[in-house]
Each structure stands twice: as C-alpha cells, then as structure tokens.
Amino acid sequence: MSNVIISPSILSADFANLERDIKRAELAGADWLHIDVMDGHFVPNITIGVPVVASIKKISHLPLDVHLMIENPQKFVEPFVKAGADILTFHYEAVEQNKISSLIKYIKSFGIKAGMSIKPKTAVEEVSEHLADLDMLLIMTVEPGFGGQKFMEDCAGKIPAAREKFPKLIIQVDGGINAKTGKLCTDLGANSLVAGSYIYNSPNITRAVNSLRA
Ligand code: DX5
Ligand code: ZN
C-alpha cells in the first residue's frame, strides 16, 4: 500500500534527550510522532502525561499521534487536545459499550482525528459498528504496555476484515514493527506503522524509517 504513515514511538527515545530524538525522527522523514500515554491501571506501566505532550508541541511540527492506554479516556480528551494532540486514540476495552459512539464524536468535535485501538484479544467484528465513525483503527500487534515486545502475527490477520469494508480508514499497527513485520502489515492493508525500538535502536534512523516505507 502506498503513502504509508510512519509514526515513530518516542517510548524508545532517550527521555533525557527527548528534543534531540524527536528532531532525529523529523530529519529521518517521519510523518507523525507517536506518543504512548500509560496510566499504570489500564496497562501495568506509567509513561508520559499531558505536560510532556504540551512541551513536545512547542518543539515539533509533526502531527502528534497520541495513544491513550488509560482508563476513563473521556476525562482526558480535552487536556490532551489543549496540549496539542492531532490524533487521539483511545482503547475500546477502556470504555463502556454505550459510551463509545459519543466519545468518538466528542474527540472529533475538537477538529482532530479520532482513533480507537483494539488489544490482541479483541476481534475487528466486535468493533465493526464503530469503524465508519472513526478516522483511525489501531490494531495492537503486542499486548499494550511496553516497547520492545515480539510481533504477534495473528493480530495482523485482523487487518483485511477492516480494510475490505473501509477503504479510506487509516489502519495503524503498533508493536514489534520492523521492516519485515511492517511489510507484512501493509501488504494486508495497514497504512500507518508505529515503530519504537526498531527506529530508535537503529544506528541509522533515516535508513530505518525508509525501510518501513519500502
Ligand atoms: C506499546 C506501545 C507501542 C510501543 C511500541 O504498548 O503502544 O507504541 O512503543 O514499541 P516497539 O515498536 O518497540 O514494539
Ligand atoms: Zn502505541
């Protein structure tokens, strides 16, 4: 699939040198910047919060792709929008069924893109009623919580079911993405790749970003 959106995950950046590492991603030709927000409840890890996103907004022109791995995401939509999120993705599993449609509308009401993410055990069929309303579906290819995990090929198998019915939906994959697993996903219909350790552990970030596009 052409025009793949590459979104480096700064979870694998050096947080003491975050500006430097964000500039490296920009120079390498990244399209978006993926920011993993974890609360220690929805996932067993804590990472970045609103003030850090606001600081990143001041130093980067890249669209901020904010991945909320938190409980009660609806409470944090406005703070993250004000901090500068351009794409805001919540987890399907973190929201009551009857509140999902209104949450998607609420995110879009700020004029930004709304994304919804599904964990490895959640099927695309289970969320199909929401796909027409979303700008992006994020299909996790690892259990959310940590960078550097092994790609779960079964999860990539969910991509075609969404792509067949929704040709314009952004389908993003996140977790264990490298040149090989990224190609597998784009061949199946994904058009946005998140990569943390593959990009930031690479001796040549530009080459790593280009290899994801190839
Ligand atoms: C995991 C995060 C990912 C993480 C990916 O829960 O959502 O964005 O940074 O890291 P890698 O690319 O190393 O698997
Ligand atoms: Zn992520």
PDB file of all heavy atoms in Angstrom, residues 7-12 34-38 43 67 69 91 138 140-151 173-178 194-199 201, ligand 1:
ATOM      1  N   SER A   7       4.976   6.524  12.010  1.00  0.00           N
ATOM      2  CA  SER A   7       4.821   7.223  13.289  1.00  0.00           C
ATOM      3  C   SER A   7       5.788   6.641  14.328  1.00  0.00           C
ATOM      4  O   SER A   7       5.461   5.673  15.011  1.00  0.00           O
ATOM      5  CB  SER A   7       3.353   7.079  13.730  1.00  0.00           C
ATOM      6  OG  SER A   7       3.017   7.967  14.762  1.00  0.00           O
ATOM      7  N   PRO A   8       6.993   7.211  14.416  1.00  0.00           N
ATOM      8  CA  PRO A   8       7.956   6.692  15.404  1.00  0.00           C
ATOM      9  C   PRO A   8       7.432   6.858  16.832  1.00  0.00           C
ATOM     10  O   PRO A   8       6.914   7.925  17.180  1.00  0.00           O
ATOM     11  CB  PRO A   8       9.205   7.557  15.182  1.00  0.00           C
ATOM     12  CG  PRO A   8       9.075   8.079  13.794  1.00  0.00           C
ATOM     13  CD  PRO A   8       7.591   8.291  13.598  1.00  0.00           C
ATOM     14  N   SER A   9       7.576   5.811  17.624  1.00  0.00           N
ATOM     15  CA  SER A   9       7.138   5.884  19.023  1.00  0.00           C
ATOM     16  C   SER A   9       8.286   6.364  19.889  1.00  0.00           C
ATOM     17  O   SER A   9       9.323   5.703  19.996  1.00  0.00           O
ATOM     18  CB  SER A   9       6.680   4.507  19.506  1.00  0.00           C
ATOM     19  OG  SER A   9       6.550   4.550  20.912  1.00  0.00           O
ATOM     20  N   ILE A  10       8.069   7.507  20.545  1.00  0.00           N
ATOM     21  CA  ILE A  10       9.138   8.073  21.381  1.00  0.00           C
ATOM     22  C   ILE A  10       9.316   7.306  22.686  1.00  0.00           C
ATOM     23  O   ILE A  10      10.202   7.637  23.472  1.00  0.00           O
ATOM     24  CB  ILE A  10       8.908   9.574  21.669  1.00  0.00           C
ATOM     25  CG1 ILE A  10       7.557   9.794  22.356  1.00  0.00           C
ATOM     26  CG2 ILE A  10       9.043  10.397  20.395  1.00  0.00           C
ATOM     27  CD1 ILE A  10       7.431  11.171  22.988  1.00  0.00           C
ATOM     28  N   LEU A  11       8.504   6.264  22.895  1.00  0.00           N
ATOM     29  CA  LEU A  11       8.712   5.434  24.085  1.00  0.00           C
ATOM     30  C   LEU A  11      10.126   4.856  24.112  1.00  0.00           C
ATOM     31  O   LEU A  11      10.685   4.612  25.175  1.00  0.00           O
ATOM     32  CB  LEU A  11       7.664   4.304  24.102  1.00  0.00           C
ATOM     33  CG  LEU A  11       7.531   3.480  25.370  1.00  0.00           C
ATOM     34  CD1 LEU A  11       7.229   4.363  26.574  1.00  0.00           C
ATOM     35  CD2 LEU A  11       6.436   2.431  25.214  1.00  0.00           C
ATOM     36  N   SER A  12      10.690   4.660  22.932  1.00  0.00           N
ATOM     37  CA  SER A  12      12.055   4.109  22.864  1.00  0.00           C
ATOM     38  C   SER A  12      13.115   5.191  22.715  1.00  0.00           C
ATOM     39  O   SER A  12      14.293   4.882  22.534  1.00  0.00           O
ATOM     40  CB  SER A  12      12.164   3.121  21.697  1.00  0.00           C
ATOM     41  OG  SER A  12      11.357   1.995  21.950  1.00  0.00           O
ATOM     42  N   HIS A  34       4.456   9.329  17.471  1.00  0.00           N
ATOM     43  CA  HIS A  34       3.562   8.501  18.294  1.00  0.00           C
ATOM     44  C   HIS A  34       3.946   8.643  19.770  1.00  0.00           C
ATOM     45  O   HIS A  34       5.091   8.422  20.158  1.00  0.00           O
ATOM     46  CB  HIS A  34       3.696   7.044  17.848  1.00  0.00           C
ATOM     47  CG  HIS A  34       2.729   6.105  18.485  1.00  0.00           C
ATOM     48  ND1 HIS A  34       1.439   5.940  18.020  1.00  0.00           N
ATOM     49  CD2 HIS A  34       2.855   5.269  19.550  1.00  0.00           C
ATOM     50  CE1 HIS A  34       0.816   5.027  18.761  1.00  0.00           C
ATOM     51  NE2 HIS A  34       1.641   4.608  19.704  1.00  0.00           N
ATOM     52  N   ILE A  35       2.962   9.049  20.573  1.00  0.00           N
ATOM     53  CA  ILE A  35       3.215   9.302  21.998  1.00  0.00           C
ATOM     54  C   ILE A  35       2.351   8.354  22.826  1.00  0.00           C
ATOM     55  O   ILE A  35       1.112   8.417  22.782  1.00  0.00           O
ATOM     56  CB  ILE A  35       2.903  10.776  22.340  1.00  0.00           C
ATOM     57  CG1 ILE A  35       3.710  11.714  21.428  1.00  0.00           C
ATOM     58  CG2 ILE A  35       3.188  11.049  23.807  1.00  0.00           C
ATOM     59  CD1 ILE A  35       3.428  13.196  21.625  1.00  0.00           C
ATOM     60  N   ASP A  36       2.990   7.483  23.568  1.00  0.00           N
ATOM     61  CA  ASP A  36       2.295   6.457  24.350  1.00  0.00           C
ATOM     62  C   ASP A  36       2.014   6.943  25.760  1.00  0.00           C
ATOM     63  O   ASP A  36       2.943   7.153  26.548  1.00  0.00           O
ATOM     64  CB  ASP A  36       3.147   5.183  24.409  1.00  0.00           C
ATOM     65  CG  ASP A  36       3.179   4.465  23.072  1.00  0.00           C
ATOM     66  OD1 ASP A  36       2.096   4.143  22.564  1.00  0.00           O
ATOM     67  OD2 ASP A  36       4.278   4.242  22.531  1.00  0.00           O
ATOM     68  N   VAL A  37       0.737   7.088  26.058  1.00  0.00           N
ATOM     69  CA  VAL A  37       0.313   7.552  27.378  1.00  0.00           C
ATOM     70  C   VAL A  37      -0.211   6.346  28.172  1.00  0.00           C
ATOM     71  O   VAL A  37      -1.173   5.701  27.755  1.00  0.00           O
ATOM     72  CB  VAL A  37      -0.799   8.623  27.237  1.00  0.00           C
ATOM     73  CG1 VAL A  37      -1.321   9.046  28.604  1.00  0.00           C
ATOM     74  CG2 VAL A  37      -0.279   9.829  26.460  1.00  0.00           C
ATOM     75  N   MET A  38       0.446   6.035  29.270  1.00  0.00           N
ATOM     76  CA  MET A  38       0.056   4.871  30.086  1.00  0.00           C
ATOM     77  C   MET A  38      -0.171   5.306  31.530  1.00  0.00           C
ATOM     78  O   MET A  38       0.564   6.156  32.040  1.00  0.00           O
ATOM     79  CB  MET A  38       1.151   3.807  30.048  1.00  0.00           C
ATOM     80  CG  MET A  38       1.551   3.372  28.644  1.00  0.00           C
ATOM     81  SD  MET A  38       2.657   1.960  28.693  1.00  0.00           S
ATOM     82  CE  MET A  38       3.195   1.906  26.970  1.00  0.00           C
ATOM     83  N   VAL A  43      -2.867  -0.397  31.731  1.00  0.00           N
ATOM     84  CA  VAL A  43      -1.675  -1.208  31.430  1.00  0.00           C
ATOM     85  C   VAL A  43      -0.733  -1.126  32.628  1.00  0.00           C
ATOM     86  O   VAL A  43      -0.780  -0.153  33.382  1.00  0.00           O
ATOM     87  CB  VAL A  43      -0.933  -0.692  30.162  1.00  0.00           C
ATOM     88  CG1 VAL A  43      -1.698  -1.009  28.901  1.00  0.00           C
ATOM     89  CG2 VAL A  43      -0.638   0.800  30.249  1.00  0.00           C
ATOM     90  N   HIS A  67      -1.532   8.035  21.778  1.00  0.00           N
ATOM     91  CA  HIS A  67      -2.129   6.717  22.024  1.00  0.00           C
ATOM     92  C   HIS A  67      -2.397   6.579  23.520  1.00  0.00           C
ATOM     93  O   HIS A  67      -1.470   6.400  24.312  1.00  0.00           O
ATOM     94  CB  HIS A  67      -1.133   5.650  21.525  1.00  0.00           C
ATOM     95  CG  HIS A  67      -1.557   4.238  21.744  1.00  0.00           C
ATOM     96  ND1 HIS A  67      -0.693   3.167  21.562  1.00  0.00           N
ATOM     97  CD2 HIS A  67      -2.745   3.696  22.109  1.00  0.00           C
ATOM     98  CE1 HIS A  67      -1.340   2.033  21.817  1.00  0.00           C
ATOM     99  NE2 HIS A  67      -2.579   2.329  22.172  1.00  0.00           N
ATOM    100  N   MET A  69      -3.389   4.729  26.576  1.00  0.00           N
ATOM    101  CA  MET A  69      -3.590   3.403  27.194  1.00  0.00           C
ATOM    102  C   MET A  69      -3.956   3.657  28.653  1.00  0.00           C
ATOM    103  O   MET A  69      -3.164   3.414  29.570  1.00  0.00           O
ATOM    104  CB  MET A  69      -2.304   2.570  27.049  1.00  0.00           C
ATOM    105  CG  MET A  69      -2.112   2.061  25.632  1.00  0.00           C
ATOM    106  SD  MET A  69      -0.432   1.544  25.289  1.00  0.00           S
ATOM    107  CE  MET A  69       0.258   3.147  24.865  1.00  0.00           C
ATOM    108  N   HIS A  91      -8.563   3.310  23.877  1.00  0.00           N
ATOM    109  CA  HIS A  91      -8.761   1.861  23.780  1.00  0.00           C
ATOM    110  C   HIS A  91     -10.225   1.487  23.933  1.00  0.00           C
ATOM    111  O   HIS A  91     -10.873   1.880  24.906  1.00  0.00           O
ATOM    112  CB  HIS A  91      -7.895   1.115  24.806  1.00  0.00           C
ATOM    113  CG  HIS A  91      -6.620   0.637  24.197  1.00  0.00           C
ATOM    114  ND1 HIS A  91      -6.501  -0.586  23.598  1.00  0.00           N
ATOM    115  CD2 HIS A  91      -5.441   1.265  24.019  1.00  0.00           C
ATOM    116  CE1 HIS A  91      -5.287  -0.715  23.102  1.00  0.00           C
ATOM    117  NE2 HIS A  91      -4.623   0.401  23.342  1.00  0.00           N
ATOM    118  N   LEU A 138      -6.546   1.435  15.378  1.00  0.00           N
ATOM    119  CA  LEU A 138      -5.195   0.975  15.752  1.00  0.00           C
ATOM    120  C   LEU A 138      -5.299  -0.480  16.199  1.00  0.00           C
ATOM    121  O   LEU A 138      -5.934  -0.784  17.214  1.00  0.00           O
ATOM    122  CB  LEU A 138      -4.628   1.857  16.873  1.00  0.00           C
ATOM    123  CG  LEU A 138      -3.383   1.352  17.627  1.00  0.00           C
ATOM    124  CD1 LEU A 138      -2.281   0.889  16.710  1.00  0.00           C
ATOM    125  CD2 LEU A 138      -2.862   2.430  18.554  1.00  0.00           C
ATOM    126  N   MET A 140      -3.449  -3.343  17.755  1.00  0.00           N
ATOM    127  CA  MET A 140      -2.222  -3.649  18.510  1.00  0.00           C
ATOM    128  C   MET A 140      -1.682  -5.001  18.059  1.00  0.00           C
ATOM    129  O   MET A 140      -2.430  -5.980  17.955  1.00  0.00           O
ATOM    130  CB  MET A 140      -2.511  -3.705  20.017  1.00  0.00           C
ATOM    131  CG  MET A 140      -2.846  -2.374  20.667  1.00  0.00           C
ATOM    132  SD  MET A 140      -1.594  -1.093  20.456  1.00  0.00           S
ATOM    133  CE  MET A 140      -0.161  -1.820  21.285  1.00  0.00           C
ATOM    134  N   THR A 141      -0.371  -5.021  17.833  1.00  0.00           N
ATOM    135  CA  THR A 141       0.267  -6.280  17.443  1.00  0.00           C
ATOM    136  C   THR A 141       1.178  -6.811  18.563  1.00  0.00           C
ATOM    137  O   THR A 141       1.995  -7.698  18.336  1.00  0.00           O
ATOM    138  CB  THR A 141       1.031  -6.102  16.106  1.00  0.00           C
ATOM    139  OG1 THR A 141       1.736  -4.850  16.128  1.00  0.00           O
ATOM    140  CG2 THR A 141       0.068  -6.081  14.927  1.00  0.00           C
ATOM    141  N   VAL A 142       0.993  -6.238  19.759  1.00  0.00           N
ATOM    142  CA  VAL A 142       1.533  -6.788  21.020  1.00  0.00           C
ATOM    143  C   VAL A 142       0.498  -6.421  22.097  1.00  0.00           C
ATOM    144  O   VAL A 142      -0.373  -5.594  21.846  1.00  0.00           O
ATOM    145  CB  VAL A 142       2.908  -6.177  21.425  1.00  0.00           C
ATOM    146  CG1 VAL A 142       3.979  -6.471  20.392  1.00  0.00           C
ATOM    147  CG2 VAL A 142       2.798  -4.670  21.688  1.00  0.00           C
ATOM    148  N   GLU A 143       0.638  -7.002  23.283  1.00  0.00           N
ATOM    149  CA  GLU A 143      -0.180  -6.534  24.410  1.00  0.00           C
ATOM    150  C   GLU A 143       0.337  -5.148  24.782  1.00  0.00           C
ATOM    151  O   GLU A 143       1.552  -4.974  24.979  1.00  0.00           O
ATOM    152  CB  GLU A 143      -0.056  -7.471  25.618  1.00  0.00           C
ATOM    153  CG  GLU A 143      -0.828  -8.769  25.522  1.00  0.00           C
ATOM    154  CD  GLU A 143      -2.357  -8.590  25.470  1.00  0.00           C
ATOM    155  OE1 GLU A 143      -2.864  -7.519  25.854  1.00  0.00           O
ATOM    156  OE2 GLU A 143      -3.033  -9.535  25.031  1.00  0.00           O
ATOM    157  N   PRO A 144      -0.549  -4.145  24.867  1.00  0.00           N
ATOM    158  CA  PRO A 144      -0.054  -2.807  25.179  1.00  0.00           C
ATOM    159  C   PRO A 144       0.621  -2.753  26.554  1.00  0.00           C
ATOM    160  O   PRO A 144       0.257  -3.502  27.452  1.00  0.00           O
ATOM    161  CB  PRO A 144      -1.318  -1.945  25.151  1.00  0.00           C
ATOM    162  CG  PRO A 144      -2.460  -2.882  25.257  1.00  0.00           C
ATOM    163  CD  PRO A 144      -2.001  -4.193  24.690  1.00  0.00           C
ATOM    164  N   GLY A 145       1.601  -1.874  26.674  1.00  0.00           N
ATOM    165  CA  GLY A 145       2.245  -1.673  27.969  1.00  0.00           C
ATOM    166  C   GLY A 145       3.743  -1.430  27.889  1.00  0.00           C
ATOM    167  O   GLY A 145       4.280  -0.676  28.686  1.00  0.00           O
ATOM    168  N   PHE A 146       4.374  -2.064  26.917  1.00  0.00           N
ATOM    169  CA  PHE A 146       5.833  -1.952  26.862  1.00  0.00           C
ATOM    170  C   PHE A 146       6.338  -1.954  25.421  1.00  0.00           C
ATOM    171  O   PHE A 146       5.723  -2.587  24.559  1.00  0.00           O
ATOM    172  CB  PHE A 146       6.493  -3.131  27.609  1.00  0.00           C
ATOM    173  CG  PHE A 146       6.081  -3.199  29.050  1.00  0.00           C
ATOM    174  CD1 PHE A 146       4.983  -3.955  29.436  1.00  0.00           C
ATOM    175  CD2 PHE A 146       6.784  -2.478  30.017  1.00  0.00           C
ATOM    176  CE1 PHE A 146       4.571  -3.998  30.771  1.00  0.00           C
ATOM    177  CE2 PHE A 146       6.376  -2.524  31.348  1.00  0.00           C
ATOM    178  CZ  PHE A 146       5.270  -3.280  31.728  1.00  0.00           C
ATOM    179  N   GLY A 147       7.446  -1.259  25.213  1.00  0.00           N
ATOM    180  CA  GLY A 147       8.111  -1.325  23.916  1.00  0.00           C
ATOM    181  C   GLY A 147       8.961  -2.587  23.853  1.00  0.00           C
ATOM    182  O   GLY A 147       9.153  -3.280  24.855  1.00  0.00           O
ATOM    183  N   GLY A 148       9.452  -2.893  22.667  1.00  0.00           N
ATOM    184  CA  GLY A 148      10.419  -3.977  22.507  1.00  0.00           C
ATOM    185  C   GLY A 148       9.868  -5.389  22.587  1.00  0.00           C
ATOM    186  O   GLY A 148      10.634  -6.332  22.789  1.00  0.00           O
ATOM    187  N   GLN A 149       8.546  -5.558  22.438  1.00  0.00           N
ATOM    188  CA  GLN A 149       7.977  -6.914  22.501  1.00  0.00           C
ATOM    189  C   GLN A 149       7.928  -7.541  21.103  1.00  0.00           C
ATOM    190  O   GLN A 149       8.045  -6.871  20.089  1.00  0.00           O
ATOM    191  CB  GLN A 149       6.560  -6.862  23.074  1.00  0.00           C
ATOM    192  CG  GLN A 149       6.456  -6.255  24.455  1.00  0.00           C
ATOM    193  CD  GLN A 149       5.022  -6.326  24.955  1.00  0.00           C
ATOM    194  OE1 GLN A 149       4.548  -7.357  25.414  1.00  0.00           O
ATOM    195  NE2 GLN A 149       4.300  -5.211  24.848  1.00  0.00           N
ATOM    196  N   LYS A 150       7.658  -8.853  21.111  1.00  0.00           N
ATOM    197  CA  LYS A 150       7.629  -9.598  19.848  1.00  0.00           C
ATOM    198  C   LYS A 150       6.285  -9.423  19.140  1.00  0.00           C
ATOM    199  O   LYS A 150       5.229  -9.526  19.757  1.00  0.00           O
ATOM    200  CB  LYS A 150       7.878 -11.086  20.156  1.00  0.00           C
ATOM    201  CG  LYS A 150       8.194 -11.915  18.929  1.00  0.00           C
ATOM    202  CD  LYS A 150       8.519 -13.363  19.346  1.00  0.00           C
ATOM    203  CE  LYS A 150       8.759 -14.245  18.137  1.00  0.00           C
ATOM    204  NZ  LYS A 150       7.601 -14.445  17.281  1.00  0.00           N
ATOM    205  N   PHE A 151       6.359  -9.161  17.864  1.00  0.00           N
ATOM    206  CA  PHE A 151       5.201  -9.005  16.979  1.00  0.00           C
ATOM    207  C   PHE A 151       4.310 -10.251  17.014  1.00  0.00           C
ATOM    208  O   PHE A 151       4.799 -11.374  16.917  1.00  0.00           O
ATOM    209  CB  PHE A 151       5.749  -8.796  15.564  1.00  0.00           C
ATOM    210  CG  PHE A 151       4.722  -8.677  14.480  1.00  0.00           C
ATOM    211  CD1 PHE A 151       3.998  -7.508  14.300  1.00  0.00           C
ATOM    212  CD2 PHE A 151       4.508  -9.736  13.600  1.00  0.00           C
ATOM    213  CE1 PHE A 151       3.073  -7.391  13.265  1.00  0.00           C
ATOM    214  CE2 PHE A 151       3.586  -9.626  12.559  1.00  0.00           C
ATOM    215  CZ  PHE A 151       2.875  -8.452  12.393  1.00  0.00           C
ATOM    216  N   VAL A 173      -0.863  -0.099  12.842  1.00  0.00           N
ATOM    217  CA  VAL A 173      -0.421  -1.238  13.659  1.00  0.00           C
ATOM    218  C   VAL A 173       0.698  -0.758  14.576  1.00  0.00           C
ATOM    219  O   VAL A 173       1.449   0.156  14.231  1.00  0.00           O
ATOM    220  CB  VAL A 173       0.047  -2.439  12.801  1.00  0.00           C
ATOM    221  CG1 VAL A 173      -1.137  -3.171  12.186  1.00  0.00           C
ATOM    222  CG2 VAL A 173       1.040  -2.015  11.726  1.00  0.00           C
ATOM    223  N   ASP A 174       0.785  -1.372  15.742  1.00  0.00           N
ATOM    224  CA  ASP A 174       1.693  -0.892  16.793  1.00  0.00           C
ATOM    225  C   ASP A 174       2.150  -2.082  17.632  1.00  0.00           C
ATOM    226  O   ASP A 174       1.320  -2.771  18.231  1.00  0.00           O
ATOM    227  CB  ASP A 174       0.921   0.129  17.646  1.00  0.00           C
ATOM    228  CG  ASP A 174       1.732   0.741  18.770  1.00  0.00           C
ATOM    229  OD1 ASP A 174       2.957   0.510  18.824  1.00  0.00           O
ATOM    230  OD2 ASP A 174       1.127   1.450  19.599  1.00  0.00           O
ATOM    231  N   GLY A 175       3.463  -2.284  17.656  1.00  0.00           N
ATOM    232  CA  GLY A 175       4.043  -3.343  18.491  1.00  0.00           C
ATOM    233  C   GLY A 175       4.857  -4.321  17.666  1.00  0.00           C
ATOM    234  O   GLY A 175       4.309  -5.016  16.813  1.00  0.00           O
ATOM    235  N   GLY A 176       6.170  -4.315  17.895  1.00  0.00           N
ATOM    236  CA  GLY A 176       7.045  -5.266  17.196  1.00  0.00           C
ATOM    237  C   GLY A 176       7.174  -5.001  15.711  1.00  0.00           C
ATOM    238  O   GLY A 176       7.475  -5.902  14.938  1.00  0.00           O
ATOM    239  N   ILE A 177       6.968  -3.740  15.312  1.00  0.00           N
ATOM    240  CA  ILE A 177       7.041  -3.421  13.873  1.00  0.00           C
ATOM    241  C   ILE A 177       8.495  -3.132  13.466  1.00  0.00           C
ATOM    242  O   ILE A 177       9.183  -2.311  14.075  1.00  0.00           O
ATOM    243  CB  ILE A 177       6.131  -2.213  13.528  1.00  0.00           C
ATOM    244  CG1 ILE A 177       4.658  -2.527  13.840  1.00  0.00           C
ATOM    245  CG2 ILE A 177       6.308  -1.813  12.056  1.00  0.00           C
ATOM    246  CD1 ILE A 177       4.030  -3.676  13.071  1.00  0.00           C
ATOM    247  N   ASN A 178       8.921  -3.831  12.435  1.00  0.00           N
ATOM    248  CA  ASN A 178      10.225  -3.582  11.794  1.00  0.00           C
ATOM    249  C   ASN A 178       9.984  -3.679  10.288  1.00  0.00           C
ATOM    250  O   ASN A 178       8.823  -3.760   9.850  1.00  0.00           O
ATOM    251  CB  ASN A 178      11.284  -4.579  12.285  1.00  0.00           C
ATOM    252  CG  ASN A 178      10.856  -6.036  12.080  1.00  0.00           C
ATOM    253  OD1 ASN A 178      10.236  -6.376  11.061  1.00  0.00           O
ATOM    254  ND2 ASN A 178      11.189  -6.893  13.032  1.00  0.00           N
ATOM    255  N   VAL A 194       3.534   2.168  13.433  1.00  0.00           N
ATOM    256  CA  VAL A 194       4.212   2.714  14.619  1.00  0.00           C
ATOM    257  C   VAL A 194       5.443   1.841  14.862  1.00  0.00           C
ATOM    258  O   VAL A 194       5.336   0.622  14.808  1.00  0.00           O
ATOM    259  CB  VAL A 194       3.288   2.643  15.850  1.00  0.00           C
ATOM    260  CG1 VAL A 194       4.040   3.072  17.118  1.00  0.00           C
ATOM    261  CG2 VAL A 194       2.044   3.494  15.651  1.00  0.00           C
ATOM    262  N   ALA A 195       6.568   2.469  15.116  1.00  0.00           N
ATOM    263  CA  ALA A 195       7.747   1.668  15.475  1.00  0.00           C
ATOM    264  C   ALA A 195       8.574   2.441  16.487  1.00  0.00           C
ATOM    265  O   ALA A 195       8.883   3.616  16.277  1.00  0.00           O
ATOM    266  CB  ALA A 195       8.583   1.347  14.239  1.00  0.00           C
ATOM    267  N   GLY A 196       8.871   1.797  17.585  1.00  0.00           N
ATOM    268  CA  GLY A 196       9.670   2.413  18.645  1.00  0.00           C
ATOM    269  C   GLY A 196      11.081   1.876  18.633  1.00  0.00           C
ATOM    270  O   GLY A 196      12.016   2.521  18.165  1.00  0.00           O
ATOM    271  N   SER A 197      11.247   0.656  19.140  1.00  0.00           N
ATOM    272  CA  SER A 197      12.603   0.112  19.274  1.00  0.00           C
ATOM    273  C   SER A 197      13.287  -0.066  17.922  1.00  0.00           C
ATOM    274  O   SER A 197      14.491   0.175  17.812  1.00  0.00           O
ATOM    275  CB  SER A 197      12.591  -1.188  20.074  1.00  0.00           C
ATOM    276  OG  SER A 197      11.639  -2.076  19.557  1.00  0.00           O
ATOM    277  N   TYR A 198      12.548  -0.442  16.904  1.00  0.00           N
ATOM    278  CA  TYR A 198      13.184  -0.648  15.591  1.00  0.00           C
ATOM    279  C   TYR A 198      13.829   0.651  15.115  1.00  0.00           C
ATOM    280  O   TYR A 198      14.943   0.646  14.591  1.00  0.00           O
ATOM    281  CB  TYR A 198      12.154  -1.151  14.575  1.00  0.00           C
ATOM    282  CG  TYR A 198      12.730  -1.296  13.177  1.00  0.00           C
ATOM    283  CD1 TYR A 198      13.719  -2.239  12.911  1.00  0.00           C
ATOM    284  CD2 TYR A 198      12.300  -0.477  12.138  1.00  0.00           C
ATOM    285  CE1 TYR A 198      14.268  -2.370  11.638  1.00  0.00           C
ATOM    286  CE2 TYR A 198      12.842  -0.597  10.861  1.00  0.00           C
ATOM    287  CZ  TYR A 198      13.826  -1.548  10.626  1.00  0.00           C
ATOM    288  OH  TYR A 198      14.364  -1.659   9.371  1.00  0.00           O
ATOM    289  N   ILE A 199      13.133   1.769  15.295  1.00  0.00           N
ATOM    290  CA  ILE A 199      13.681   3.047  14.837  1.00  0.00           C
ATOM    291  C   ILE A 199      14.758   3.555  15.784  1.00  0.00           C
ATOM    292  O   ILE A 199      15.876   3.863  15.380  1.00  0.00           O
ATOM    293  CB  ILE A 199      12.549   4.092  14.657  1.00  0.00           C
ATOM    294  CG1 ILE A 199      11.682   3.705  13.437  1.00  0.00           C
ATOM    295  CG2 ILE A 199      13.126   5.509  14.496  1.00  0.00           C
ATOM    296  CD1 ILE A 199      10.511   4.618  13.161  1.00  0.00           C
ATOM    297  N   ASN A 201      16.501   2.130  18.202  1.00  0.00           N
ATOM    298  CA  ASN A 201      17.692   1.311  18.472  1.00  0.00           C
ATOM    299  C   ASN A 201      18.549   1.147  17.228  1.00  0.00           C
ATOM    300  O   ASN A 201      19.584   0.483  17.268  1.00  0.00           O
ATOM    301  CB  ASN A 201      17.304  -0.080  18.996  1.00  0.00           C
ATOM    302  CG  ASN A 201      16.638  -0.005  20.357  1.00  0.00           C
ATOM    303  OD1 ASN A 201      16.699   1.033  21.019  1.00  0.00           O
ATOM    304  ND2 ASN A 201      16.003  -1.080  20.778  1.00  0.00           N
TER     305      ASN A 201
HETATM  306  C1  DX5 B   1       3.225  -0.460  23.375  1.00  0.00           C
HETATM  307  C2  DX5 B   1       3.162   0.886  22.704  1.00  0.00           C
HETATM  308  C3  DX5 B   1       3.991   0.998  21.499  1.00  0.00           C
HETATM  309  C4  DX5 B   1       5.475   0.799  21.702  1.00  0.00           C
HETATM  310  C5  DX5 B   1       5.945   0.046  20.515  1.00  0.00           C
HETATM  311  O1  DX5 B   1       2.206  -0.584  24.302  1.00  0.00           O
HETATM  312  O2  DX5 B   1       1.824   1.194  22.338  1.00  0.00           O
HETATM  313  O3  DX5 B   1       3.745   2.207  20.796  1.00  0.00           O
HETATM  314  O4  DX5 B   1       6.225   1.981  21.801  1.00  0.00           O
HETATM  315  O5  DX5 B   1       7.265  -0.322  20.719  1.00  0.00           O
HETATM  316  P1  DX5 B   1       8.017  -1.307  19.733  1.00  0.00           P
HETATM  317  O6  DX5 B   1       7.981  -0.706  18.374  1.00  0.00           O
HETATM  318  O7  DX5 B   1       9.370  -1.385  20.314  1.00  0.00           O
HETATM  319  O8  DX5 B   1       7.286  -2.633  19.781  1.00  0.00           O
END
